[in-house]
Amino acid sequence: VLAVPPLVMLGVFALPAEARRALAFQYTDPTVVTAFTAHYVHLTAEHLLANLIGYGLLAGVGYAVALLGRRRRFFLTALATYLLAFPFVLSALNLAVPRHAFGYGFSGVNMAILGVLPLVMAAYARTHLFPTTVRHPLPAAFFLLVGWMGALALPIGGGDALAGTAATAASVVIGVAYFHAATRGLDRRRLPHGWVRTVTGRKGYGDLFAVAGALLVAYPAVGFPVDPVTGASVLNLYVHLLGFCLGFIGPYIALAAGVFDEGDE
């Protein structure tokens, strides 16, 4: 099942260049068909390879964490939603920013998969590493990650960046406040050292958690590079942020509403 999206992307890339361009999403002439197909279209081998590597890391590590954290059904349900429904949603929301351009590529879906990673990591940590240490850490993780993405994407200086800077700072402050609430009653001076010792002391389980954590922090640097302009193309940072936020918020609401029980495998 996890191999199907890469096979589809490779199959689409084998089409002639003109056919691929016809499957891209034209913002001035949108269609329902291209709203979906555009997210599986790549015009260059470099773009395709980058998204295939990103998908392999995110889906592979995410599935392993979900499986061992007893969230397999939850992860696969979220992944199916991202692959089948999110292309329409992301394309429709792209129309909120009118421009003469066309969109394509799997990056928005990859960012959605990144959004579910902290959710399965929390279940994994409760199962194998920190059964009672931190309560409800997910809002803190979400706001801190959004702040990190904002810090990566924002230009340095200039009046145009003021609103974005304020939003990024607010996201970080909210994330810190949620973290403070989640760790209430604990000796915070010992938290970093204690967490590192727990992770390094659980060989195998700790290693996987560390890899997932590194991916969670490092991958936004791919989705929000310092210079989003590559040749004649511009990375769609807007759809990247949308993908992550919707990829987190939807599954988080499903968990909070009790749609998935603990140990849903």
Side-chain angles (χ1 to χ4, degrees):
V1 171
L2 294 179
V4 170
L7 293 176
V8 171
M9 285 185 271
L10 289 168
V12 172
F13 190 72
L15 296 173
E18 288 304 314
R20 281 179 277 146
R21 285 183 178 274
L23 294 175
F25 187 67
Q26 299 283 347
Y27 298 124
T28 56
D29 186 23
T31 69
V32 174
V33 172
T34 58
F36 179 82
T37 59
H39 294 268
Y40 294 89
V41 169
H42 298 84
L43 301 183
T44 65
E46 294 80 7
H47 188 199
L48 172 64
L49 180 61
N51 277 334
L52 288 177
I53 293 173
Y55 172 81
L57 289 171
L58 293 165
V61 172
Y63 179 75
V65 171
L67 180 65
L68 295 175
R70 299 191 298 175
R71 286 291 187 192
R72 177 178 176 272
R73 184 169 64 90
F74 167 75
F75 178 81
L76 291 178
T77 301
L79 182 63
T81 303
Y82 301 154
L83 296 174
L84 299 176
F86 266 42
F88 296 108
V89 174
L90 295 176
S91 294
L93 291 174
N94 256 308
L95 297 178
V97 185
R99 55 203 184 278
H100 291 281
F102 60 94
Y104 57 92
F106 199 73
S107 303
V109 179
N110 271 345
M111 290 300 297
I113 302 173
L114 181 71
V116 81
L117 186 57
L119 299 172
V120 294
M121 284 179 66
Y124 179 90
R126 284 195 303 270
T127 302
H128 298 290
L129 300 171
F130 313 109
T132 59
T133 302
V134 181
R135 300 291 296 174
H136 309 299
L138 292 173
F142 172 76
F143 284 107
L144 290 173
L145 285 167
V146 169
W148 170 231
M149 293 173 192
L152 290 169
L154 285 174
I156 299 175
D160 293 340
L162 182 60
T165 302
T168 298
S171 183
V172 172
V173 169
I174 294 171
V176 171
Y178 269 113
F179 177 80
H180 187 273
T183 57
R184 184 178 293 121
L186 301 176
D187 185 354
R188 295 186 179 90
R189 295 172 298 179
R190 298 182 179 181
L191 286 182
H193 175 71
W195 289 350
V196 171
R197 185 171 57 187
T198 299
V199 171
T200 56
R202 291 279 288 163
K203 292 184 178 180
Y205 290 110
D207 296 336
L208 179 58
F209 187 80
V211 169
L215 183 61
L216 190 63
V217 175
Y219 194 78
V222 177
F224 299 89
V226 175
D227 185 5
V229 180
T230 305
S233 301
V234 180
L235 287 180
N236 192 337
L237 303 184
Y238 168 69
V239 81
H240 289 184
L241 182 62
L242 277 177
F244 172 78
C245 292
L246 295 176
F248 177 96
I249 292 171
Y252 178 74
I253 291 174
L255 287 179
V259 176
F260 294 89
D261 298 326
E262 289 287 346
D264 65 7
E265 76 270 55

mmCIF file of all heavy atoms in Angstrom, residues 10-49:
data_model
loop_
_atom_site.group_PDB
_atom_site.id
_atom_site.type_symbol
_atom_site.label_atom_id
_atom_site.label_comp_id
_atom_site.label_asym_id
_atom_site.label_seq_id
_atom_site.Cartn_x
_atom_site.Cartn_y
_atom_site.Cartn_z
ATOM 1 N N LEU A 10 5.810 7.864 -10.562
ATOM 2 C CA LEU A 10 6.737 7.410 -11.598
ATOM 3 C C LEU A 10 6.010 7.163 -12.916
ATOM 4 O O LEU A 10 6.521 7.485 -13.994
ATOM 5 C CB LEU A 10 7.452 6.139 -11.139
ATOM 6 C CG LEU A 10 8.494 6.325 -10.027
ATOM 7 C CD1 LEU A 10 8.916 4.970 -9.469
ATOM 8 C CD2 LEU A 10 9.706 7.086 -10.546
ATOM 9 N N GLY A 11 4.804 6.598 -12.818
ATOM 10 C CA GLY A 11 4.019 6.368 -14.028
ATOM 11 C C GLY A 11 3.635 7.668 -14.716
ATOM 12 O O GLY A 11 3.721 7.780 -15.953
ATOM 13 N N VAL A 12 3.236 8.656 -13.946
ATOM 14 C CA VAL A 12 2.883 9.956 -14.523
ATOM 15 C C VAL A 12 4.117 10.615 -15.136
ATOM 16 O O VAL A 12 4.045 11.238 -16.202
ATOM 17 C CB VAL A 12 2.254 10.866 -13.450
ATOM 18 C CG1 VAL A 12 2.057 12.285 -13.987
ATOM 19 C CG2 VAL A 12 0.923 10.296 -12.981
ATOM 20 N N PHE A 13 5.271 10.461 -14.485
ATOM 21 C CA PHE A 13 6.490 11.089 -15.002
ATOM 22 C C PHE A 13 6.927 10.475 -16.327
ATOM 23 O O PHE A 13 7.643 11.105 -17.114
ATOM 24 C CB PHE A 13 7.611 10.956 -13.973
ATOM 25 C CG PHE A 13 8.829 11.780 -14.305
ATOM 26 C CD1 PHE A 13 8.794 13.162 -14.187
ATOM 27 C CD2 PHE A 13 9.997 11.174 -14.736
ATOM 28 C CE1 PHE A 13 9.905 13.931 -14.501
ATOM 29 C CE2 PHE A 13 11.121 11.931 -15.044
ATOM 30 C CZ PHE A 13 11.074 13.315 -14.916
ATOM 31 N N ALA A 14 6.497 9.244 -16.573
ATOM 32 C CA ALA A 14 6.838 8.587 -17.835
ATOM 33 C C ALA A 14 6.036 9.147 -19.019
ATOM 34 O O ALA A 14 6.364 8.874 -20.180
ATOM 35 C CB ALA A 14 6.593 7.083 -17.720
ATOM 36 N N LEU A 15 4.988 9.944 -18.731
ATOM 37 C CA LEU A 15 4.191 10.536 -19.800
ATOM 38 C C LEU A 15 4.990 11.632 -20.508
ATOM 39 O O LEU A 15 5.925 12.204 -19.933
ATOM 40 C CB LEU A 15 2.906 11.124 -19.227
ATOM 41 C CG LEU A 15 1.918 10.149 -18.578
ATOM 42 C CD1 LEU A 15 0.787 10.923 -17.915
ATOM 43 C CD2 LEU A 15 1.366 9.175 -19.609
ATOM 44 N N PRO A 16 4.636 11.981 -21.724
ATOM 45 C CA PRO A 16 5.292 13.107 -22.410
ATOM 46 C C PRO A 16 5.133 14.408 -21.617
ATOM 47 O O PRO A 16 4.171 14.583 -20.867
ATOM 48 C CB PRO A 16 4.557 13.180 -23.750
ATOM 49 C CG PRO A 16 3.980 11.818 -23.941
ATOM 50 C CD PRO A 16 3.648 11.299 -22.579
ATOM 51 N N ALA A 17 6.066 15.317 -21.801
ATOM 52 C CA ALA A 17 6.073 16.568 -21.048
ATOM 53 C C ALA A 17 4.774 17.348 -21.236
ATOM 54 O O ALA A 17 4.240 17.922 -20.282
ATOM 55 C CB ALA A 17 7.272 17.419 -21.457
ATOM 56 N N GLU A 18 4.254 17.396 -22.454
ATOM 57 C CA GLU A 18 3.019 18.139 -22.712
ATOM 58 C C GLU A 18 1.838 17.523 -21.970
ATOM 59 O O GLU A 18 0.959 18.236 -21.479
ATOM 60 C CB GLU A 18 2.740 18.189 -24.219
ATOM 61 C CG GLU A 18 3.667 19.101 -24.978
ATOM 62 C CD GLU A 18 3.636 20.530 -24.422
ATOM 63 O OE1 GLU A 18 2.525 21.046 -24.176
ATOM 64 O OE2 GLU A 18 4.712 21.114 -24.235
ATOM 65 N N ALA A 19 1.801 16.199 -21.896
ATOM 66 C CA ALA A 19 0.722 15.535 -21.163
ATOM 67 C C ALA A 19 0.805 15.857 -19.680
ATOM 68 O O ALA A 19 -0.217 16.072 -19.014
ATOM 69 C CB ALA A 19 0.794 14.020 -21.392
ATOM 70 N N ARG A 20 2.022 15.904 -19.153
ATOM 71 C CA ARG A 20 2.184 16.238 -17.735
ATOM 72 C C ARG A 20 1.756 17.672 -17.461
ATOM 73 O O ARG A 20 1.117 17.960 -16.449
ATOM 74 C CB ARG A 20 3.636 16.014 -17.304
ATOM 75 C CG ARG A 20 3.961 14.551 -17.034
ATOM 76 C CD ARG A 20 5.403 14.386 -16.630
ATOM 77 N NE ARG A 20 6.285 14.326 -17.785
ATOM 78 C CZ ARG A 20 7.523 14.803 -17.812
ATOM 79 N NH1 ARG A 20 8.026 15.418 -16.754
ATOM 80 N NH2 ARG A 20 8.265 14.686 -18.887
ATOM 81 N N ARG A 21 2.116 18.568 -18.347
ATOM 82 C CA ARG A 21 1.702 19.973 -18.173
ATOM 83 C C ARG A 21 0.182 20.100 -18.204
ATOM 84 O O ARG A 21 -0.405 20.910 -17.490
ATOM 85 C CB ARG A 21 2.323 20.853 -19.252
ATOM 86 C CG ARG A 21 3.804 21.129 -19.043
ATOM 87 C CD ARG A 21 4.343 22.078 -20.104
ATOM 88 N NE ARG A 21 5.740 22.386 -19.872
ATOM 89 C CZ ARG A 21 6.163 23.357 -19.078
ATOM 90 N NH1 ARG A 21 5.278 24.122 -18.450
ATOM 91 N NH2 ARG A 21 7.453 23.582 -18.906
ATOM 92 N N ALA A 22 -0.466 19.284 -19.039
ATOM 93 C CA ALA A 22 -1.928 19.328 -19.126
ATOM 94 C C ALA A 22 -2.586 18.825 -17.842
ATOM 95 O O ALA A 22 -3.735 19.187 -17.544
ATOM 96 C CB ALA A 22 -2.400 18.490 -20.310
ATOM 97 N N LEU A 23 -1.862 18.005 -17.070
ATOM 98 C CA LEU A 23 -2.398 17.488 -15.808
ATOM 99 C C LEU A 23 -2.110 18.408 -14.621
ATOM 100 O O LEU A 23 -2.588 18.154 -13.522
ATOM 101 C CB LEU A 23 -1.811 16.099 -15.530
ATOM 102 C CG LEU A 23 -2.205 14.987 -16.504
ATOM 103 C CD1 LEU A 23 -1.442 13.711 -16.171
ATOM 104 C CD2 LEU A 23 -3.713 14.733 -16.448
ATOM 105 N N ALA A 24 -1.316 19.459 -14.837
ATOM 106 C CA ALA A 24 -1.031 20.424 -13.775
ATOM 107 C C ALA A 24 -2.259 21.305 -13.529
ATOM 108 O O ALA A 24 -3.167 21.394 -14.367
ATOM 109 C CB ALA A 24 0.176 21.271 -14.139
ATOM 110 N N PHE A 25 -2.275 21.967 -12.381
ATOM 111 C CA PHE A 25 -3.442 22.765 -11.961
ATOM 112 C C PHE A 25 -3.251 24.214 -12.394
ATOM 113 O O PHE A 25 -2.386 24.933 -11.853
ATOM 114 C CB PHE A 25 -3.606 22.678 -10.449
ATOM 115 C CG PHE A 25 -4.865 23.310 -9.923
ATOM 116 C CD1 PHE A 25 -6.102 22.773 -10.207
ATOM 117 C CD2 PHE A 25 -4.808 24.441 -9.124
ATOM 118 C CE1 PHE A 25 -7.277 23.344 -9.720
ATOM 119 C CE2 PHE A 25 -5.964 25.020 -8.623
ATOM 120 C CZ PHE A 25 -7.201 24.478 -8.924
ATOM 121 N N GLN A 26 -4.036 24.646 -13.364
ATOM 122 C CA GLN A 26 -3.966 26.027 -13.836
ATOM 123 C C GLN A 26 -4.847 26.905 -12.943
ATOM 124 O O GLN A 26 -6.063 26.713 -12.886
ATOM 125 C CB GLN A 26 -4.452 26.101 -15.288
ATOM 126 C CG GLN A 26 -3.645 25.281 -16.275
ATOM 127 C CD GLN A 26 -2.329 25.947 -16.632
ATOM 128 O OE1 GLN A 26 -2.109 27.122 -16.337
ATOM 129 N NE2 GLN A 26 -1.445 25.184 -17.260
ATOM 130 N N TYR A 27 -4.242 27.876 -12.272
ATOM 131 C CA TYR A 27 -5.010 28.714 -11.346
ATOM 132 C C TYR A 27 -6.023 29.588 -12.076
ATOM 133 O O TYR A 27 -7.052 29.956 -11.505
ATOM 134 C CB TYR A 27 -4.071 29.593 -10.527
ATOM 135 C CG TYR A 27 -3.114 28.803 -9.661
ATOM 136 C CD1 TYR A 27 -1.742 28.982 -9.755
ATOM 137 C CD2 TYR A 27 -3.587 27.861 -8.752
ATOM 138 C CE1 TYR A 27 -0.864 28.257 -8.964
ATOM 139 C CE2 TYR A 27 -2.720 27.131 -7.959
ATOM 140 C CZ TYR A 27 -1.365 27.332 -8.079
ATOM 141 O OH TYR A 27 -0.497 26.601 -7.296
ATOM 142 N N THR A 28 -5.751 29.926 -13.313
ATOM 143 C CA THR A 28 -6.698 30.746 -14.071
ATOM 144 C C THR A 28 -7.730 29.912 -14.812
ATOM 145 O O THR A 28 -8.703 30.460 -15.337
ATOM 146 C CB THR A 28 -5.936 31.620 -15.091
ATOM 147 O OG1 THR A 28 -5.141 30.779 -15.930
ATOM 148 C CG2 THR A 28 -5.040 32.623 -14.371
ATOM 149 N N ASP A 29 -7.531 28.604 -14.881
ATOM 150 C CA ASP A 29 -8.480 27.709 -15.556
ATOM 151 C C ASP A 29 -8.557 26.385 -14.792
ATOM 152 O O ASP A 29 -8.196 25.327 -15.318
ATOM 153 C CB ASP A 29 -8.048 27.479 -17.007
ATOM 154 C CG ASP A 29 -9.079 26.672 -17.788
ATOM 155 O OD1 ASP A 29 -10.263 26.671 -17.381
ATOM 156 O OD2 ASP A 29 -8.694 26.022 -18.780
ATOM 157 N N PRO A 30 -9.033 26.419 -13.542
ATOM 158 C CA PRO A 30 -9.019 25.211 -12.708
ATOM 159 C C PRO A 30 -10.096 24.219 -13.133
ATOM 160 O O PRO A 30 -11.175 24.602 -13.586
ATOM 161 C CB PRO A 30 -9.314 25.756 -11.309
ATOM 162 C CG PRO A 30 -10.118 26.996 -11.552
ATOM 163 C CD PRO A 30 -9.578 27.592 -12.828
ATOM 164 N N THR A 31 -9.781 22.948 -12.969
ATOM 165 C CA THR A 31 -10.751 21.884 -13.193
ATOM 166 C C THR A 31 -10.678 20.891 -12.044
ATOM 167 O O THR A 31 -9.671 20.820 -11.328
ATOM 168 C CB THR A 31 -10.481 21.140 -14.525
ATOM 169 O OG1 THR A 31 -9.267 20.393 -14.395
ATOM 170 C CG2 THR A 31 -10.382 22.111 -15.688
ATOM 171 N N VAL A 32 -11.738 20.135 -11.875
ATOM 172 C CA VAL A 32 -11.766 19.138 -10.807
ATOM 173 C C VAL A 32 -10.714 18.066 -11.050
ATOM 174 O O VAL A 32 -10.046 17.600 -10.118
ATOM 175 C CB VAL A 32 -13.171 18.505 -10.704
ATOM 176 C CG1 VAL A 32 -13.178 17.360 -9.698
ATOM 177 C CG2 VAL A 32 -14.196 19.550 -10.305
ATOM 178 N N VAL A 33 -10.535 17.693 -12.296
ATOM 179 C CA VAL A 33 -9.573 16.633 -12.619
ATOM 180 C C VAL A 33 -8.151 17.070 -12.291
ATOM 181 O O VAL A 33 -7.398 16.365 -11.604
ATOM 182 C CB VAL A 33 -9.688 16.224 -14.102
ATOM 183 C CG1 VAL A 33 -8.562 15.260 -14.478
ATOM 184 C CG2 VAL A 33 -11.042 15.588 -14.363
ATOM 185 N N THR A 34 -7.758 18.254 -12.765
ATOM 186 C CA THR A 34 -6.392 18.708 -12.513
ATOM 187 C C THR A 34 -6.167 19.088 -11.054
ATOM 188 O O THR A 34 -5.031 19.079 -10.589
ATOM 189 C CB THR A 34 -6.038 19.904 -13.417
ATOM 190 O OG1 THR A 34 -6.974 20.972 -13.184
ATOM 191 C CG2 THR A 34 -6.067 19.501 -14.875
ATOM 192 N N ALA A 35 -7.243 19.400 -10.328
ATOM 193 C CA ALA A 35 -7.097 19.663 -8.894
ATOM 194 C C ALA A 35 -6.529 18.444 -8.185
ATOM 195 O O ALA A 35 -5.793 18.572 -7.192
ATOM 196 C CB ALA A 35 -8.446 20.038 -8.279
ATOM 197 N N PHE A 36 -6.848 17.268 -8.695
ATOM 198 C CA PHE A 36 -6.317 16.028 -8.120
ATOM 199 C C PHE A 36 -4.991 15.620 -8.766
ATOM 200 O O PHE A 36 -4.005 15.354 -8.083
ATOM 201 C CB PHE A 36 -7.331 14.900 -8.284
ATOM 202 C CG PHE A 36 -6.862 13.580 -7.736
ATOM 203 C CD1 PHE A 36 -6.975 13.295 -6.383
ATOM 204 C CD2 PHE A 36 -6.278 12.632 -8.570
ATOM 205 C CE1 PHE A 36 -6.529 12.079 -5.872
ATOM 206 C CE2 PHE A 36 -5.835 11.418 -8.064
ATOM 207 C CZ PHE A 36 -5.957 11.151 -6.707
ATOM 208 N N THR A 37 -4.969 15.594 -10.092
ATOM 209 C CA THR A 37 -3.800 15.037 -10.784
ATOM 210 C C THR A 37 -2.541 15.866 -10.570
ATOM 211 O O THR A 37 -1.429 15.318 -10.575
ATOM 212 C CB THR A 37 -4.075 14.926 -12.289
ATOM 213 O OG1 THR A 37 -4.392 16.236 -12.825
ATOM 214 C CG2 THR A 37 -5.238 13.980 -12.557
ATOM 215 N N ALA A 38 -2.691 17.173 -10.374
ATOM 216 C CA ALA A 38 -1.522 18.047 -10.266
ATOM 217 C C ALA A 38 -0.570 17.611 -9.164
ATOM 218 O O ALA A 38 0.646 17.791 -9.279
ATOM 219 C CB ALA A 38 -1.971 19.486 -10.027
ATOM 220 N N HIS A 39 -1.099 17.027 -8.108
ATOM 221 C CA HIS A 39 -0.259 16.672 -6.958
ATOM 222 C C HIS A 39 0.575 15.416 -7.213
ATOM 223 O O HIS A 39 1.447 15.091 -6.401
ATOM 224 C CB HIS A 39 -1.140 16.503 -5.720
ATOM 225 C CG HIS A 39 -1.781 17.784 -5.302
ATOM 226 N ND1 HIS A 39 -1.209 18.636 -4.382
ATOM 227 C CD2 HIS A 39 -2.937 18.376 -5.697
ATOM 228 C CE1 HIS A 39 -1.985 19.698 -4.221
ATOM 229 N NE2 HIS A 39 -3.049 19.558 -5.014
ATOM 230 N N TYR A 40 0.329 14.752 -8.320
ATOM 231 C CA TYR A 40 1.127 13.584 -8.694
ATOM 232 C C TYR A 40 1.982 13.852 -9.926
ATOM 233 O O TYR A 40 2.610 12.936 -10.458
ATOM 234 C CB TYR A 40 0.212 12.381 -8.928
ATOM 235 C CG TYR A 40 -0.490 11.928 -7.668
ATOM 236 C CD1 TYR A 40 -1.717 12.464 -7.284
ATOM 237 C CD2 TYR A 40 0.110 10.995 -6.825
ATOM 238 C CE1 TYR A 40 -2.335 12.071 -6.094
ATOM 239 C CE2 TYR A 40 -0.504 10.587 -5.649
ATOM 240 C CZ TYR A 40 -1.724 11.136 -5.293
ATOM 241 O OH TYR A 40 -2.332 10.753 -4.114
ATOM 242 N N VAL A 41 2.018 15.118 -10.359
ATOM 243 C CA VAL A 41 2.760 15.523 -11.551
ATOM 244 C C VAL A 41 4.088 16.166 -11.152
ATOM 245 O O VAL A 41 4.137 16.978 -10.214
ATOM 246 C CB VAL A 41 1.935 16.518 -12.394
ATOM 247 C CG1 VAL A 41 2.787 17.147 -13.486
ATOM 248 C CG2 VAL A 41 0.727 15.834 -12.999
ATOM 249 N N HIS A 42 5.157 15.811 -11.866
ATOM 250 C CA HIS A 42 6.464 16.454 -11.701
ATOM 251 C C HIS A 42 7.036 16.690 -13.091
ATOM 252 O O HIS A 42 6.945 15.816 -13.964
ATOM 253 C CB HIS A 42 7.400 15.583 -10.871
ATOM 254 C CG HIS A 42 6.906 15.329 -9.479
ATOM 255 N ND1 HIS A 42 6.002 14.323 -9.192
ATOM 256 C CD2 HIS A 42 7.162 15.972 -8.315
ATOM 257 C CE1 HIS A 42 5.733 14.349 -7.902
ATOM 258 N NE2 HIS A 42 6.424 15.332 -7.348
ATOM 259 N N LEU A 43 7.617 17.856 -13.284
ATOM 260 C CA LEU A 43 8.146 18.204 -14.598
ATOM 261 C C LEU A 43 9.632 17.941 -14.725
ATOM 262 O O LEU A 43 10.157 17.894 -15.841
ATOM 263 C CB LEU A 43 7.845 19.682 -14.914
ATOM 264 C CG LEU A 43 6.360 20.065 -14.918
ATOM 265 C CD1 LEU A 43 6.193 21.517 -15.321
ATOM 266 C CD2 LEU A 43 5.550 19.144 -15.827
ATOM 267 N N THR A 44 10.337 17.805 -13.597
ATOM 268 C CA THR A 44 11.772 17.518 -13.648
ATOM 269 C C THR A 44 12.080 16.305 -12.774
ATOM 270 O O THR A 44 11.382 16.034 -11.786
ATOM 271 C CB THR A 44 12.597 18.713 -13.144
ATOM 272 O OG1 THR A 44 12.331 18.936 -11.757
ATOM 273 C CG2 THR A 44 12.263 19.968 -13.936
ATOM 274 N N ALA A 45 13.140 15.605 -13.139
ATOM 275 C CA ALA A 45 13.542 14.430 -12.367
ATOM 276 C C ALA A 45 13.994 14.811 -10.965
ATOM 277 O O ALA A 45 13.766 14.061 -10.011
ATOM 278 C CB ALA A 45 14.669 13.700 -13.103
ATOM 279 N N GLU A 46 14.620 15.988 -10.808
ATOM 280 C CA GLU A 46 15.089 16.427 -9.495
ATOM 281 C C GLU A 46 13.917 16.649 -8.540
ATOM 282 O O GLU A 46 13.980 16.244 -7.366
ATOM 283 C CB GLU A 46 15.908 17.718 -9.626
ATOM 284 C CG GLU A 46 17.226 17.567 -10.374
ATOM 285 C CD GLU A 46 17.040 17.558 -11.879
ATOM 286 O OE1 GLU A 46 15.902 17.805 -12.351
ATOM 287 O OE2 GLU A 46 18.033 17.284 -12.589
ATOM 288 N N HIS A 47 12.863 17.275 -9.047
ATOM 289 C CA HIS A 47 11.674 17.520 -8.221
ATOM 290 C C HIS A 47 11.022 16.197 -7.822
ATOM 291 O O HIS A 47 10.636 15.991 -6.667
ATOM 292 C CB HIS A 47 10.693 18.393 -9.003
ATOM 293 C CG HIS A 47 9.530 18.863 -8.198
ATOM 294 N ND1 HIS A 47 8.360 19.323 -8.766
ATOM 295 C CD2 HIS A 47 9.330 18.949 -6.848
ATOM 296 C CE1 HIS A 47 7.513 19.667 -7.826
ATOM 297 N NE2 HIS A 47 8.068 19.451 -6.649
ATOM 298 N N LEU A 48 10.913 15.292 -8.779
ATOM 299 C CA LEU A 48 10.329 13.981 -8.497
ATOM 300 C C LEU A 48 11.159 13.230 -7.458
ATOM 301 O O LEU A 48 10.606 12.672 -6.496
ATOM 302 C CB LEU A 48 10.246 13.164 -9.785
ATOM 303 C CG LEU A 48 9.832 11.692 -9.634
ATOM 304 C CD1 LEU A 48 8.407 11.586 -9.097
ATOM 305 C CD2 LEU A 48 9.971 10.955 -10.964
ATOM 306 N N LEU A 49 12.467 13.218 -7.617
ATOM 307 C CA LEU A 49 13.333 12.491 -6.690
ATOM 308 C C LEU A 49 13.226 13.061 -5.282
ATOM 309 O O LEU A 49 13.162 12.305 -4.303
ATOM 310 C CB LEU A 49 14.778 12.550 -7.177
ATOM 311 C CG LEU A 49 15.813 11.821 -6.315
ATOM 312 C CD1 LEU A 49 15.493 10.332 -6.245
ATOM 313 C CD2 LEU A 49 17.215 12.048 -6.860
#
